Amino acid sequence: MTERARAEEGAGVWSGSWVAERLGVELTGDDRLTGLLGLALRRNPKRAHLLVSNVLGKHVPQSPSVVYGHGVALGRRVRELLGAEAAEGAVVLGYAETATGLGHSVADGLGPAPYLHSTRRPVTGVARAGGFEESHSHATSHLLLPENPALLAGDGPLVLVDDEFSTGNTVLNTVRALHERYPRERYVVVALVDMRSPADAGRLEDFAREIGARVDLVTTASGTVRLPEGVLEKGQELVARYEARAAGPTPEGPVAGTPDADAAAAGPAAATGSVAVGPAGERPLAGAGAGAGPGPAHVSDSEGAAAGAADPAPVRPGAHAHGATARPEVPTPSSPGSIARVELGWPGGLPDGGRHGFTAAQRDRLESALPAMAERITEALPAGARRVLVLGFEELMYAPLRLAHALEQTADADVRYSTTTRSPVLAVDDPGYAIRTRLVFPAHDDPADGPGERYAYNVAGAGFDAVVAVVDSAADTPALHAPDGLLARLAAHVPHVLLAVVPSYVPHAPHASERPSMLPEPLRGPDFSSYAPDEVGWLLQDLSDVTLEAPTEEREEAIQSGGAHYAESLPVEYQPTEQYQELFHAALETSSARLARAVGAVTEIVLAERSPRPVLVSLARAGTPVGILMRRWAQFRHGLDLPHYAVSIVRGRGIDANALRWLADRHDPSDVVFVDGWTGKGAITRELAAALRDFEASDGITGFDPEIAVLADPGSCVRTYGTRDDFLIPSACLNSTVSGLISRTVLRADLVGRHDFHGAKFYRELAGADLSPAFLDAVSARYPDVADTVEAQAKELLSADRTPTWEGWAAVERISEEYGIHDVNLVKPGVGETTRVMLRRVPWKVLARAGAGADLDHVRLLAEQRGVPVEEVTDLPYTCVGLIHPKYTRGATGADGKAVAL
């Protein structure tokens, strides 16, 4: 290595300097731009230069946490811009192929928003809901193929996500096409970088006025590409010259020793005619060019959420800023690497991405499954693999990214992520150029536009010990495994290649045509539950004879590892001590009037705003006692005999669709009011909304209102509530013995068939400890005492602004970060949810609001019994928050069952 090269390696070389020096292209604007972007050249008649992102995970292998972090941070900024209520109705649309993963990550940061990305792959049987053109791209036609056509038909904000915002043409084409069919009032454009020229800067605002909508722009950084006159022609000539030199020297070559001569000697990758590439294009030195970044100065997102931007690219030994040596010091392996397949265990029916839409419920399913899938990859990696690349496939960006992100947490290796692409880019092995190497291979997914070349950039010679190639099953074809296919190309440069195949998701025909002719009638007490038969009908199947219980520690380990879903088993019913039961009775005595007021208020709101004769449908099981109390209030105050049912809803799996079908067959869906006990962070609120959208799309049945009526809404997640105070609801203190002796609901494939209701158990053997009727009677006995107060309280609530602020969700996200948990599902806010943590999960600690009084007596007692610390904090919107052990293994609790500190 020359002294100059050593100096440049220490200082860092911008990966756009090669193009800038030869074409006079300049990047101006934010200081972060050169860290976020490099430059390359491509064969394109409309634009010669290519802005190469260092944080997108497309052309430049990058840490998956950096790639995902940038997208999530942008999504959080969009949520702040829109506000919580508007964000709940938003839909996110990403652009194929480059921004499919970025758009999905933005949707994750935004919250429960459904996600859809455009596609260039038509799918038989799926109707086109729209399309548009990307004028500067090498492949222009974008299709929109949502499984649920209603996905784009709402009136909430549409969030459009692309990797760069250059001219605005693509966004204008998209909005114009969609606005004609699905007009709405607000659009938000999101991009990593805003690179519009001054001439283009005002077009978006003019267009917004033209269509009468608001259009906002959210980006990580902004600037401008300054292009000298004639740059397109100069760029095309330069590309042609370097492509010709890849095949061998020409008489017109530059004088030896000039910068161009140095680069020509190394030779770029071949671009046409053959899958074989030149020496520097496919055989660079090990350790070169895995990323092209700004050098030692790391770049962070404007919100600070993504820790650092692109890693600085290592400068090749023997290379310098003006050219690359023609003599590799470490040759390509003499024999190809191994190729093996790893089974991911991808969840059945879960979409592989957003081509046909991706809902919040599906996102939860993926989150639950990721740890186990990453562990399978880790086990399949060769021993001693220190540098691993997860390589996605064209539009399939999000699933490989999330797998890489999970692998980064489990594997003892430096994990990087990038994807293959359709985009042809010139490769020049120079540290000042963003595309150092290129692998060329034939398309392997039978594309609709015919066969062609595909590319993987900056993979060869990057020093990877293993590559995990992730494709969908539509691309797992003979062409993938052919001697000139992607796997063989990778194996020529990497010692170990693993193939992971994600099932291609193809939407099914609506379920309605396959609906069974008859569903069973609801289960009722005393045969199922200790409630009177007229109090509630359970739209469940009886699994009382099935052994489903597992020790709490075993369940927690399986749930957190992704090996099982919490609804596939039941916790052993915790039988509280005599001291704890005394505390329950004391709490009931002191809070019964308060509970009665909340029951009366929420029932009056339902009767006034939702339906004069509502059908109460409780979410089993916490909602069931509340539904019975609301039914009793309607009888007491208005003489109404309201129907009341209990149905199962499972986080990550949605509501029981067969129960919805039963209800729709017998009642007007618009009369159905879903009831729950309380809100925590709003996960079930979101789950229900997403599940009802899915149900409407699959069955075509409309009218079910996703708004949940709750006794208490401390998380500010709903409009229909009795109070927003976070206080002790005694039914949260116990398990089945205050819920009609019914277990949590169960959803397991071997027990619940396609046409079955979800299941639950009736613990008849606990009849001697049953407090369910006593709880109901204690509260309803106070109805006459609180009637006048309820009337005034209901009037006040009906005239108040009850718009959800989602304050609780924001607090949960903050707590998750502050305590290093990084999983909101392990943060359980509110007295009720904290109690559940203490009774059913493996608790880590309890956060209590400073000065919280008797409402926390039972929590403190449980914490003392289980050895869980209680930490008083200020500025807590809840009375308390329970934290589940974030790194749970069976060793996280001692033999006595008490929690062990991390």
Side-chain angles (χ1 to χ4, degrees), residues 540-563:
L540 297 169
Q541 61 168 313
D542 189 352
L543 300 178
S544 301
D545 296 331
V546 182
T547 301
L548 292 165
E549 291 76 13
T552 301
E553 291 79 8
E554 291 184 13
R555 293 184 75 246
E556 194 65 44
E557 183 175 8
I559 292 168
Q560 289 199 33
S561 68

Side-chain angles (χ1 to χ4, degrees), residues 24 57 75 165 180 188 216 256 265 372 431 441 451 477 511 520 553 561 597 620 731:
F165 193 45
E180 290 176 356
V188 181
D216 294 293
F441 53 93
T477 62
H511 193 285
E553 291 79 8
S561 68
R597 289 194 296 271
S731 61

Side-chain angles (χ1 to χ4, degrees), residues 232 262 309 457 473 498 546 654-655 686-687 752:
L232 177 60
D262 291 341
Y457 295 112
S473 55
L498 295 178
V546 182
I655 197 168
R686 297 170 181 223
E687 186 79 40
V752 179

Side-chain angles (χ1 to χ4, degrees), residues 691-835:
L692 290 178
R693 288 194 297 267
D694 292 346
F695 179 74
E696 183 176 324
S698 66
D699 282 51
I701 296 174
T702 61
F704 286 110
D705 189 338
E707 177 72 25
I708 302 177
V710 298
L711 205 59
D713 179 35
S716 188
C717 306
V718 298
R719 292 189 69 259
T720 308
Y721 55 86
T723 179
R724 276 187 169 154
D725 293 340
D726 183 19
F727 71 102
L728 172 61
I729 300 174
S731 61
C733 287
L734 303 171
N735 285 315
S736 65
T737 52
V738 78
S739 301
L741 301 182
I742 299 302
S743 73
R744 297 191 64 165
T745 58
V746 174
L747 179 57
R748 207 170 80 188
D750 60 330
L751 299 173
V752 179
R754 189 173 186 181
H755 302 313
D756 295 331
F757 291 139
H758 294 185
K761 297 185 71 167
F762 176 25
Y763 291 117
R764 298 172 178 84
E765 66 275 16
L766 299 180
D770 188 23
L771 296 171
S772 308
F775 169 71
L776 297 174
D777 292 345
V779 177
S780 55
R782 306 302 298 268
Y783 287 174
D785 302 333
V786 302
D788 292 341
T789 305
V790 166
E791 184 177 357
Q793 184 176 338
K795 286 182 179 178
E796 182 179 345
L797 285 171
L798 285 167
S799 62
D801 180 5
R802 290 174 281 124
T803 303
T805 65
W806 293 90
E807 177 187 8
W809 184 270
V812 166
E813 289 184 325
R814 185 184 71 248
I815 291 167
S816 174
E817 293 300 318
E818 287 180 359
Y819 284 82
I821 295 175
H822 307 302
D823 182 354
V824 292
N825 292 323
L826 301 183
V827 180
K828 302 296 184 181
V831 177
E833 292 302 304
T834 301
T835 304

Side-chain angles (χ1 to χ4, degrees), residues 158-539:
L158 181 63
V159 181
L160 303 103
V161 183
D162 208 351
D163 58 319
E164 64 176 88
F165 193 45
S166 50
T167 65
N169 289 337
T170 301
V171 169
L172 296 184
N173 289 337
T174 307
V175 174
R176 181 174 284 108
L178 292 177
H179 199 75
E180 290 176 356
R181 299 183 65 176
Y182 315 110
R184 62 186 74 223
E185 296 180 354
R186 191 165 188 185
Y187 298 86
V188 181
V189 180
V190 180
L192 287 169
V193 291
D194 174 12
M195 301 301 292
R196 289 174 298 169
S197 68
D200 289 324
R203 294 178 60 207
L204 200 61
E205 292 78 8
D206 293 341
F207 179 74
R209 286 191 291 270
E210 175 190 329
I211 64 173
R214 176 175 173 178
V215 183
D216 294 293
L217 179 63
V218 176
T219 64
T220 300
S222 61
T224 302
V225 182
R226 292 182 178 175
L227 303 174
E229 186 175 351
V231 67
L232 177 60
E233 294 76 14
K234 291 179 181 178
Q236 291 172 337
E237 187 275 333
L238 191 59
V239 170
R241 182 151 44 99
Y242 271 74
E243 287 179 345
R245 285 176 182 163
T250 64
E252 296 79 27
V255 177
T258 65
D260 281 358
D262 291 341
T272 59
S274 172
V275 295
V277 295
E282 209 174 309
R283 298 197 302 173
L285 299 179
H298 281 200
V299 179
S300 62
D301 182 83
S302 58
E303 292 301 298
D311 290 342
V315 177
R316 289 268 309 273
H320 56 79
H322 299 286
T325 179
R327 302 161 73 85
E329 295 177 79
V330 180
T332 302
S334 58
S335 60
S338 64
I339 300 174
R341 186 182 292 263
V342 55
E343 297 298 331
L344 290 174
W346 187 266
L350 180 67
D352 51 292
R355 180 178 287 113
H356 305 297
F358 202 92
T359 66
Q362 290 162 343
R363 183 178 298 122
D364 286 341
R365 285 191 67 197
L366 177 61
E367 294 287 349
S368 298
L370 278 170
M373 291 192 287
E375 187 61 36
R376 293 185 185 101
I377 295 174
T378 300
E379 292 172 356
L381 288 171
R386 310 304 301 172
R387 186 167 169 82
V388 177
L389 173 69
V390 176
L391 183 68
F393 159 62
E394 297 185 27
E395 292 177 12
L396 187 71
M397 294 189 70
Y398 181 72
L401 172 59
R402 297 310 311 280
L403 287 168
H405 191 227
L407 186 65
E408 199 173 29
Q409 315 304 315
T410 61
D412 184 19
D414 177 17
V415 179
R416 289 291 183 265
Y417 159 79
S418 63
T419 74
T420 65
T421 175
R422 286 168 159 248
S423 179
V425 186
L426 180 72
V428 177
D429 190 22
D430 187 282
Y433 188 82
I435 302 298
R436 302 285 293 274
T437 67
R438 182 178 71 179
L439 299 182
V440 186
F441 53 93
H444 51 89
D445 62 336
D446 192 23
D449 56 354
E453 291 180 349
R454 300 294 186 262
Y455 312 94
Y457 295 112
N458 292 323
V459 175
F464 293 114
D465 301 307
V467 171
V468 183
V470 183
V471 304
D472 61 12
S473 55
D476 186 15
T477 62
L480 176 68
H481 301 266
D484 61 349
L486 171 61
L487 298 182
R489 291 293 175 214
L490 292 172
H493 299 279
V494 180
H496 302 278
V497 177
L498 295 178
L499 173 64
V501 179
V502 177
S504 300
Y505 181 75
V506 178
H508 296 291
H511 193 285
S513 62
E514 305 170 14
R515 193 179 307 165
S517 58
M518 183 177 295
L519 287 162
E521 289 302 302
L523 301 172
R524 296 184 181 273
D527 295 327
F528 189 83
S529 87
S530 61
Y531 294 132
D534 62 331
E535 297 266 37
V536 61
W538 301 85
L539 296 179

